[in-house]
Amino acid sequence: MNKMITQPADRQAEYRKLPAVDALLRLPAVALLAAEYGDAATTASVRAVLAAARAAIAAGADAPAADTWEERVQAHLTATDAPSLRPAINATGVILHTNLGRAPLSPAALAAVQAVATGYSSLEYDLAAGTRGSRHDHARQLLRDLTGAEDAMVVNNNAAAVYLALGALCQGRSVLISRSQIVEIGGGFRIPDVLRQSGAHLVEVGTTNRTHARDFAAAITAETAAILRVHSSNFKQVGFVTMPELDELAALARARGILLIDDLGSGTLIDTTAYGLAPEPMVQQSVAAGAHLITFSGDKLLGGPQAGLIVGQAELVERLRRHPMARALRVDKMTLAALEATLRSYRRARASDEIPVWQMLAAPAEAIAGRAARWQARLAEAGIDAQVQPGESAVGGGSLPGETLPTWLLAVAAAAPDAAAARLRNGPLPIVCRIQHGCLIFDPRTVLADQETPLLDTLVAEFGHTGE
Ligand SMILES: *Cc1c(COP(=O)(O)O)cnc(C)c1O
């Protein structure tokens, strides 16, 4: 009983030790923080820190020591001022990791972004004529040269490209799709939903595993605007499976006066089989096979910024450019700058030397083994016992489903691997890795060269005392 009466009195004494908001704001160090972070943010942090102290007292703690307030306010301000979108180290070995931002940009692409982003640019200005120009002119010739298409256009992403193509060319009419291609790409992008939103009607053709050209031929009516082919980006069908070749579908579409739209998803300008990978459809091949419009992503295997690239017949691309939705789906100058620089690497045949995605795809297993061994040696110096072991990297990002590349991994045993991985994710430079059999697994393939030192420093700090 006594305890219950005296406890609240103790608590009252602790509450009374809490300074007033104004008193904290007048502390010299806090005043300096206000000069850096602004009065409003600093006052909000002071209130938050006091509220946290009151909550702690209510839970039985004592009031914080008087000399700790400045650092408490500082810590809260730093935390709330930190950006939400932050750089991270991808040690998962998944090259096109959609959740980690897909393709890292090449240094040339970054330099191009910087050059146009911090000043004015010729975004919609014809410098030769001194008159208004079009943002659609940038990257256009590069895309034509690289794909062989008559014309090209850039929108916000490939989802937007498919939506615009269907909305502008197929609205109110029907679109034929094989039952094997009525798919969900990820992030809720479902082909039937996109069709419905675009105002086109979906007509399913064939069966889940087998669709023939004659199935498409039989389904064409006066209502039919197009055949849509959708690349099965994130799954693989094996066994008793058939789809007509693209040139067969193109011939059918031409003969019947409808369009063939080819959503390649990733697509590629470089032959993936030269890298020991399964064939990924090449944009040039779709153009040559006679697809009327082809759409693909800027930040999948192309290795550039987020964008949707549309190439194909000039008259159709022109209709897309004129469509009112084109304005809503248009890209920014930074995207165009990064895209042009990326495409220039391809035109100079330097993509696999200059574009990070292709450098990672091309990295020889021996080179990765060498990096893993260097990491192991560095950790050994700090008394950490890590193993180098063979494993697989993944391409990811809706391209080459199920395709892996042989790699070498660094495995660090941890007593509580989930907790250790969480600490690595929540550090100043977040590290994302895999967990397997009680070990944290780091794949050098997706760790950029300039991230090695911070990665290893962090691992030494995290595991440095456990191995001793
Ligand atoms: C990835 C993908 C998309 C969406 O592309 P984004 O650039 O992510 O919008 C659409 N279709 C297919 C077949 C894809 O693989």
Side-chain angles (χ1 to χ4, degrees):
M1 279 299 269
N2 267 351
K3 233 180 171 184
M4 288 190 72
I5 295 163
T6 53
Q7 273 287 40
D10 283 1
R11 298 293 87 200
Q12 289 309 322
E14 292 304 317
Y15 284 122
R16 275 195 297 275
K17 289 183 195 162
L18 294 180
V21 171
D22 283 343
L24 285 186
L25 286 172
R26 279 194 301 272
L27 292 173
V30 175
L32 280 176
L33 290 173
E36 186 181 346
Y37 293 94
D39 290 335
T42 307
T43 307
S45 281
V46 163
R47 289 190 199 282
V49 159
L50 284 169
R54 270 192 296 275
I57 293 170
D62 288 341
D67 60 0
T68 63
W69 287 109
E70 285 145 345
E71 79 193 49
R72 280 165 195 270
V73 174
Q74 162 101 61
H76 190 273
L77 264 173
T78 320
T80 50
D81 193 56
S84 160
L85 175 59
R86 292 196 291 156
I89 293 178
N90 173 12
T92 65
V94 181
I95 296 174
L96 294 169
H97 199 304
T98 297
N99 303 140
L100 297 178
R102 284 204 189 144
L105 293 181
S106 70
L110 175 65
V113 170
Q114 179 137 24
V116 300
T118 51
Y120 297 100
S121 67
S122 61
L123 180 62
E124 289 185 355
Y125 193 78
D126 182 335
L127 293 168
T131 56
R132 193 197 152 104
S134 167
R135 81 175 62 211
H136 293 302
D137 287 343
H138 309 293
R140 191 171 171 189
Q141 190 57 44
L142 278 162
L143 283 166
R144 280 186 191 140
D145 292 348
L146 289 166
T147 65
E150 284 177 16
D151 204 353
M153 170 181 185
V154 184
V155 291
N156 185 54
N157 56 14
N158 187 36
V162 175
Y163 173 71
L164 180 62
L166 294 172
L169 307 174
C170 307
Q171 198 164 47
R173 300 182 62 198
S174 59
V175 173
L176 312 183
I177 309 184
S178 162
R179 285 202 164 84
S180 65
Q181 298 180 350
I182 301 178
V183 298
E184 175 176 317
I185 305 303
F189 182 82
R190 291 180 152 192
I191 289 298
D193 297 341
V194 177
L195 263 136
R196 200 172 306 118
Q197 288 299 323
S198 72
H201 313 300
L202 167 66
V203 174
E204 302 184 12
V205 172
T207 64
T208 302
N209 58 328
R210 283 168 75 84
T211 305
H212 305 276
R214 62 174 183 273
D215 295 325
F216 283 102
I220 297 173
T221 69
E223 291 307 301
T224 310
I227 295 171
L228 175 64
R229 187 179 80 149
V230 183
H231 181 55
S232 54
S233 301
N234 48 10
F235 69 103
K236 214 164 159 174
Q237 282 192 320
V238 292
F240 194 48
V241 170
T242 297
M243 257 304 284
E245 292 296 327
L246 198 64
D247 49 5
E248 269 184 276
L249 290 180
L252 175 64
R254 266 197 309 278
R256 304 290 292 270
I258 61 171
L259 300 176
L260 174 61
I261 302 172
D262 193 16
D263 172 13
L264 286 181
S266 172
T268 176
L269 296 172
I270 294 181
D271 183 359
T272 48
T273 62
Y275 295 81
L277 294 162
E280 175 76 9
M282 294 180 70
V283 184
Q284 307 89 305
Q285 288 171 349
S286 280
V287 173
H292 294 95
L293 275 184
I294 298 136
T295 75
F296 57 106
S297 286
D299 56 352
K300 290 184 179 172
L301 282 175
L302 191 80
Q306 180 192 303
L309 311 183
I310 307 171
V311 302
Q313 274 188 358
E315 180 254 334
L316 298 174
V317 176
E318 184 56 27
R319 274 166 68 191
L320 301 194
R321 267 196 292 268
R322 293 230 177 100
H323 192 272
M325 279 311 286
R327 169 63 194 255
L329 305 175
R330 75 184 190 182
V331 290
D332 176 60
K333 57 184 176 291
M334 294 191 278
T335 301
L336 288 167
L339 181 63
E340 275 201 295
T342 305
L343 294 173
R344 279 202 303 273
S345 287
Y346 282 94
R347 192 162 60 183
R348 291 195 309 264
R350 303 272 303 151
S352 59
D353 303 318
E354 296 178 358
I355 297 175
V357 164
W358 286 96
Q359 291 173 322
M360 291 176 189
L361 283 169
E366 314 83 73
I368 297 175
R371 287 177 75 193
R374 281 202 307 281
W375 294 7
Q376 181 188 36
R378 164 85 167 84
L379 295 189
E381 280 166 24
I384 303 165
D385 185 21
Q387 306 302 320
V388 175
Q389 61 187 47
E392 306 287 331
S393 314
V395 180
S399 58
L400 297 163
E403 278 297 294
T404 58
L405 296 155
T407 193
W408 289 91
L409 306 165
L410 186 79
V412 184
D418 290 317
R423 280 193 297 278
L424 294 181
R425 287 197 308 274
N426 289 289
L429 180 51
I431 298 164
V432 184
C433 65
R434 285 189 264 166
I435 299 174
Q436 225 167 34
H437 308 307
C439 287
L440 271 60
I441 306 280
F442 303 88
D443 187 339
R445 188 187 294 275
T446 51
V447 175
L448 302 171
D450 63 355
Q451 296 177 326
E452 277 196 12
T453 304
L455 170 71
L456 295 172
D457 288 348
T458 307
L459 294 187
V460 167
E462 169 67 29
F463 297 105
H465 300 294
T466 57
E468 278 157 28

